Amino acid sequence: MTVIDANRMHEIETRYPEYFHRSFRQRFGGLMILIATLLYSLYAVWFFDLPKLFAEAHWERVGIYLSQWVSYDVQPEFRIGDDGSIDIRYPRFSPLGDNPHPDWLVNNRDGSITVSISGTSRTVTVSKSETIVTAHGISVPVEVSSGAPKVVGPVPGWMTVYDDNVLADLGFAGDVSISVDRVKIRKRFIGWANFIFDTQSSFFDKSVGEVVSLIVSGPRIKPDQSNLSLAFDDIWNNSEWQHGDVWTKLFQTIVMAFLGTLLGSLAAFPLAFMAARNITPNRLLNQILKRFFDFLRSVDMLIWALFLTRAFGPGPLAGSGAIFLTETGTLGKLYSEGLENIDNKPREGIKSTGAQTVLVHRYGIMPQIVPVIVSQTLYQWESNVRGATIIGAVGAGGIGLKLWEAMRTNANWENVAYMVILILIVVFIFDAASNALRHRLMGTKTH
Amino acid sequence: MTIADTQPHMQSTQEIGTAWERMVARRRFYTILGLVILVVAFVSSVRFADESNAGHFFDRLPHLFDFLSWLIPKDWNDVWRALFDIANVNDKGGEEFNFDKGRVYVWGAFYIPEYFELMIVTINVALISTIIAFIFAVPLSFFAARNLTSSWPLRIVAKRLMEFLRAFPEIVIAGLFSAILSIGPVAAIIAISLHTIGALGKLFYEVAENIDMKPHEGMKAVGANWWERVRFAALPQVLPNFTSYALLRLEINVRASTIIGAVGGGGIGEELKLSISRGFGAKTMALVLLLFVTIVAVDQFSAWLRRRLVGEHAFLLQH
């Protein structure tokens, strides 16, 4: 920046003294607000006990959970029998189905089994006397013949030795837990397993071509149902992803927002006319209605939702009712403020022709207020689609509860990701649709 | 849209008249079509909502007030006792009347009633998350404003980031962080802050795009860099509006922190949810009363402050 010299500075100062001799509040007000905010922040740090909380936080879970959003794992277990035989088991709901023969598991000629955790660089070879873990460029044999597993040679940093088992952490690719009679492997894959067909489906593990040809011309898998409807059934009722349920719940959320906003708008519309000072000259009625709107808004959507779930039982009806009550308050306030800001001249003009009150409202007020009403209502609708996901979690129906339950188990993070993506898509579509509609109705350009 | 815009070549009054009639007819058609669509959507939504609800509307409607009457306490003084944690003679070890439990002793026998403490937690969640969001939203909004940032990739990134933060369900962030940080208000703070950054950022950059550019040009003429231009030309113009919007957001966040509280974020929301689901009349009444008074007080205070800052015109309620 250009810097001016002292003479010039002095000259300016004499010309505009009011800018150089300002009151205490003008000079230090901002600084004091800043200091107050800082002090408050310090108080908040103490109040919520942040240092302790952050020290005790399980930060390692961030990575684990986030990686679970986009991946799944398979957990084969190798049981080593007394006679030296190796028995492979998969958990009951393994994503590989009932009859897994994965190509990353190789039976060697000498009876041992090699599992590739990540290509050829990270492998586990299980035999009856030892398990060899290869990772980070070295191979570490673990003896399992005696009472406890024993690491042969130095123990690398990624391996932890416990009393009766040895744990090898192979990063994102998975981990291995070795004990004397069994080796448990967790192998992680990127992607969402069984997203379309679950392991119970007859279409499971078939390629796209096979599925299409089965649907188009294949023999009926179930004699009493066409393959197309069977395929649809299998997708819709996928037990892992619950597409049908998720989509229904998502639709419930949208319906809740739609019904609540529409009903709220219908209720708020006549009330707003009565609440507007300039249209209804009765001050008492104005005040009563305005406080009523405030009451509806202040006794929050959450409380209405809790009340209505007790009355109607959990479901979208309770949610719609809660949004309806809150929206009557919000939209009533917005509409009445809009009405108070209209130009009174058209009304007077129409009144002067001797028209009835209804006609005065119709032709004197409506043309001015309709764009405001439509625009505000669309705004609210859009924001209610977002809000409805939360009240869903307290039992008001919709996707919120499903989302909350999926998170609470701490295991279904991929389902959380799926629902989040669906919600984001819906919100963005509504955002765009309401923007487009609003600009079309108001005739303004998008920004 | 007027007729002259669409058909500028028209001359005779008769032509204009018929064109006008055609336009009115078309408009009427679209209005009716829109209304029909709306009615159909409405009726089918009502049926859908009714069918997928646990209890049906007309079956349950007569019972709506049963429930409310159940919540009305037998002794209205219990509401005050519950609110101020005064011991109750009805207390027989159950949870419904154990009003004096949960007092927070500050100094000797002086205590803060439990619900006030929870309310303070909720307000603190709202306040601190508004402050955090304000700190992040201000620079983001300057990066997103067309007139202040000339690099379009930066602008697009800032805008998309804010949109994403706005749209991402708060409840998921709260759930994720309560798994990491243990259940409590901090997860709620993070969730509300992130959402508020997006919401405030949008309002802020719209304000920033409408500033008077003359001071900015003046600063540019004396060779000020980007930071100095924003600090001395833009910030003083937008700060009152920014503060006003932040206060507006504070009101919304008090409600948001109550809701997040109900799904495990601590504070008064959680207590309210428990109280309602167990049917504790006096406790629920006390909580609703406290919440109502607090929200009205916060609304009034912030309205008063906003009126002093920017005058009447910034009173649009936006989420």
Side-chain angles (χ1 to χ4, degrees):
Chain A
M1 239 189 329
T2 320
V3 179
I4 49 177
D5 62 36
N7 279 339
R8 180 108 176 91
M9 191 81 181
H10 187 69
E11 192 193 304
I12 294 175
E13 201 176 327
T14 44
R15 254 195 294 163
Y16 307 105
E18 69 274 21
Y19 286 102
F20 289 86
H21 301 284
R22 313 207 304 165
S23 74
F24 181 79
R25 211 186 77 189
Q26 280 171 321
R27 280 160 76 191
F28 297 108
L31 189 68
M32 277 160 70
I33 289 174
L34 196 69
I35 290 172
T37 312
L38 274 176
L39 286 177
Y40 174 74
S41 304
L42 284 176
Y43 159 76
V45 168
W46 167 81
F47 184 85
F48 292 112
D49 206 0
L50 292 186
K52 182 164 165 269
L53 202 69
F54 282 120
E56 286 176 2
H58 301 276
W59 291 112
E60 74 284 356
R61 286 186 189 166
V62 181
I64 296 172
Y65 290 159
L66 286 182
S67 67
Q68 283 178 4
W69 286 42
V70 292
S71 65
Y72 65 99
D73 55 19
V74 180
Q75 302 179 18
E77 190 181 298
F78 302 84
R79 294 200 179 176
I80 304 162
D82 293 334
D83 55 346
S85 64
I86 301 173
D87 177 29
I88 310 169
R89 289 187 186 191
Y90 291 87
R92 251 182 81 210
F93 295 107
S94 162
L96 297 180
D98 294 334
N99 191 20
H101 288 292
D103 53 0
W104 40 266
L105 198 147
V106 181
N107 284 301
N108 297 327
R109 282 213 190 108
D110 59 350
S112 65
I113 297 172
T114 302
V115 182
S116 146
I117 305 280
S118 168
T120 50
S121 63
R122 291 178 187 190
T123 58
V124 178
T125 305
V126 183
S127 68
K128 60 185 174 182
S129 60
E130 64 173 6
T131 298
I132 304 168
V133 183
T134 308
H136 304 285
I138 49 168
S139 288
V140 183
V142 182
E143 266 183 35
V144 292
S145 46
S146 55
K150 210 175 93 197
V151 180
V152 180
V155 179
W158 41 270
M159 227 176 212
T160 324
V161 180
Y162 296 102
D163 281 348
D164 53 357
N165 75 334
V166 173
L167 193 75
D169 177 17
L170 304 181
F172 177 75
D175 51 44
V176 190
S177 156
I178 304 161
S179 52
V180 175
D181 57 346
R182 69 183 69 181
V183 177
K184 268 182 110 168
I185 291 178
R186 181 202 300 272
K187 182 172 158 66
R188 191 155 272 288
F189 296 88
I190 291 277
W192 288 346
N194 313 335
F195 185 69
I196 297 176
F197 296 112
D198 65 6
T199 53
Q200 309 298 317
S201 164
S202 342
F203 297 97
F204 173 70
D205 214 17
K206 289 192 166 48
S207 71
V208 180
E210 277 178 284
V211 172
V212 169
S213 70
L214 261 179
I215 289 172
V216 174
S217 59
R220 284 192 168 189
I221 296 171
K222 278 188 185 167
D224 54 344
Q225 196 179 17
S226 80
N227 279 350
L228 181 63
S229 88
L230 181 67
F232 180 76
D233 262 9
D234 283 355
I235 297 175
W236 193 247
N237 300 319
N238 185 325
S239 63
E240 241 168 284
W241 291 91
Q242 305 176 338
H243 296 292
D245 199 27
V246 167
W247 285 69
T248 316
K249 293 273 164 64
L250 185 70
F251 190 62
Q252 280 180 10
T253 299
I254 298 172
V255 162
M256 267 156 61
F258 171 70
L259 275 184
T261 317
L262 186 66
L263 287 172
S265 159
L266 289 179
F269 183 67
L271 292 179
F273 275 82
M274 286 185 259
R277 269 201 304 275
N278 51 348
I279 294 169
T280 307
N282 184 341
R283 290 308 286 266
L284 183 69
L285 184 64
N286 293 162
Q287 280 305 314
I288 289 176
L289 277 172
K290 281 189 177 169
R291 293 295 84 79
F292 175 63
F293 292 151
D294 282 352
F295 169 75
L296 286 178
R297 275 182 323 123
S298 308
V299 181
D300 216 66
M301 202 188 276
L302 166 75
I303 301 178
W304 293 126
L306 288 171
F307 274 123
L308 292 176
T309 24
R310 288 310 299 275
F312 290 119
L317 212 54
S320 312
I323 296 176
F324 158 66
L325 290 169
T326 333
E327 276 321 291
T328 309
T330 312
L331 290 175
K333 178 191 153 82
L334 291 173
Y335 291 174
S336 61
E337 275 167 10
L339 284 170
E340 280 171 6
N341 286 331
I342 60 165
D343 184 2
N344 262 331
K345 295 212 176 65
R347 273 178 76 211
E348 282 163 16
I350 291 163
K351 232 183 213 162
S352 69
T353 63
Q356 290 168 338
T357 323
V358 178
L359 292 175
V360 173
H361 286 179
R362 166 67 186 85
Y363 293 101
I365 300 173
M366 287 304 282
Q368 292 186 64
I369 196 72
V370 161
V372 177
I373 285 183
V374 171
S375 156
Q376 299 284 16
T377 313
L378 285 173
Y379 257 133
Q380 288 302 117
W381 184 27
E382 191 189 307
S383 98
N384 281 335
V385 171
R386 269 194 291 267
T389 56
I390 301 186
I391 57 164
V394 295
I399 201 156
L401 188 61
K402 204 156 176 54
L403 202 52
W404 188 243
E405 277 168 356
M407 272 185 300
R408 262 199 313 206
T409 58
N410 270 348
N412 298 331
W413 287 104
E414 70 273 21
N415 290 32
V416 173
Y418 174 46
M419 283 184 257
V420 165
I421 288 173
L422 286 182
I423 293 173
L424 283 178
I425 291 172
V426 167
V427 168
F428 280 130
I429 289 175
F430 272 66
D431 223 30
S434 115
N435 262 328
L437 218 58
R438 211 162 41 227
H439 292 303
R440 182 161 288 213
L441 286 164
M442 316 246 313
T444 50
K445 278 191 290 252
T446 34
H447 43 243
Chain B
M1 186 168 63
T2 63
I3 298 161
D5 291 337
T6 51
Q7 273 113 340
H9 56 276
M10 275 191 310
Q11 295 296 318
S12 76
T13 331
Q14 203 185 357
E15 266 181 52
I16 294 176
T18 47
W20 185 77
E21 270 168 16
R22 228 182 297 135
M23 198 178 82
V24 167
R26 205 178 58 216
R27 267 195 177 177
R28 196 162 289 156
F29 171 72
Y30 279 123
T31 310
I32 291 172
L33 186 72
L35 281 179
V36 168
I37 291 173
L38 204 62
V39 168
V40 170
F42 175 72
V43 171
S44 44
S45 308
V46 168
R47 296 187 69 170
F48 172 74
D50 198 38
E51 267 165 34
S52 47
N53 205 65
H56 296 298
F57 184 69
F58 289 107
D59 299 345
R60 296 294 309 167
L61 195 61
H63 301 279
L64 180 62
F65 296 100
D66 290 4
F67 169 65
L68 282 182
S69 66
W70 181 31
L71 271 186
I72 288 172
K74 289 183 198 85
D75 180 2
W76 277 98
N77 285 326
D78 279 358
V79 175
W80 302 111
R81 293 194 191 112
L83 198 54
F84 295 105
D85 282 6
I86 297 163
N88 190 314
V89 283
N90 293 326
D91 186 9
K92 291 187 182 74
E95 273 187 66
E96 189 167 3
F97 294 107
N98 60 351
F99 298 155
D100 53 336
K101 280 194 192 123
R103 285 175 181 175
V104 181
Y105 288 95
V106 183
W107 193 274
F110 177 72
Y111 65 88
I112 303 175
E114 187 189 6
Y115 292 166
F116 284 77
E117 157 89 6
L118 292 173
M119 196 69 234
I120 291 171
V121 172
T122 299
I123 291 178
N124 270 325
V125 169
L127 196 53
I128 197 73
S129 38
T130 313
I131 291 176
I132 293 172
F134 187 83
I135 293 167
F136 284 97
V138 169
L140 259 183
S141 68
F142 287 137
F143 292 139
R146 199 175 300 157
N147 50 350
L148 296 175
T149 303
S150 52
S151 124
W152 65 264
L154 184 60
R155 245 171 29 221
I156 298 285
V157 168
K159 277 189 192 173
R160 289 295 99 78
L161 176 67
M162 291 190 291
E163 250 168 44
F164 181 73
L165 289 176
R166 246 192 343 265
F168 204 88
E170 279 164 304
I171 183 177
V172 174
I173 300 172
L176 183 63
F177 278 93
S178 59
I180 293 161
L181 291 168
S182 77
I183 283 186
V186 176
I189 293 178
I190 295 171
I192 297 171
S193 301
L194 288 179
H195 181 82
T196 310
I197 291 174
L200 276 184
K202 178 192 152 84
L203 296 171
F204 283 4
Y205 86 74
E206 279 167 8
V207 171
E209 280 184 351
N210 288 325
I211 58 166
D212 179 7
M213 289 302 280
K214 290 207 181 70
H216 189 265
E217 277 164 28
M219 294 296 292
K220 216 173 187 173
V222 296
N225 62 24
W226 188 86
W227 157 248
E228 285 162 339
R229 291 201 302 267
V230 167
R231 164 69 187 84
F232 294 104
L235 199 63
Q237 287 190 60
V238 295
L239 211 48
N241 273 314
F242 278 18
T243 322
S244 160
Y245 279 133
L247 286 167
L248 194 68
R249 196 67 218 178
L250 179 67
E251 296 174 24
I252 297 169
N253 281 353
V254 173
R255 293 154 212 265
S257 64
T258 318
I259 299 189
I260 296 272
V263 289
I268 202 156
E270 197 165 8
E271 194 64 31
L272 183 69
K273 188 191 169 196
L274 286 177
S275 177
I276 289 184
S277 62
R278 290 174 189 172
F280 295 164
K283 281 188 169 180
T284 307
M285 283 290 165
L287 284 165
V288 170
L289 189 71
L290 182 62
L291 201 60
F292 177 60
V293 169
T294 312
I295 286 178
V296 169
V298 171
D299 278 11
Q300 293 299 321
F301 173 71
S302 108
W304 169 80
L305 214 58
R306 270 186 295 143
R307 210 165 264 137
R308 287 197 51 176
L309 272 168
V310 285
E312 286 282 346
H313 66 267
F315 270 73
L316 270 176
L317 196 93
Q318 282 173 346
H319 288 255

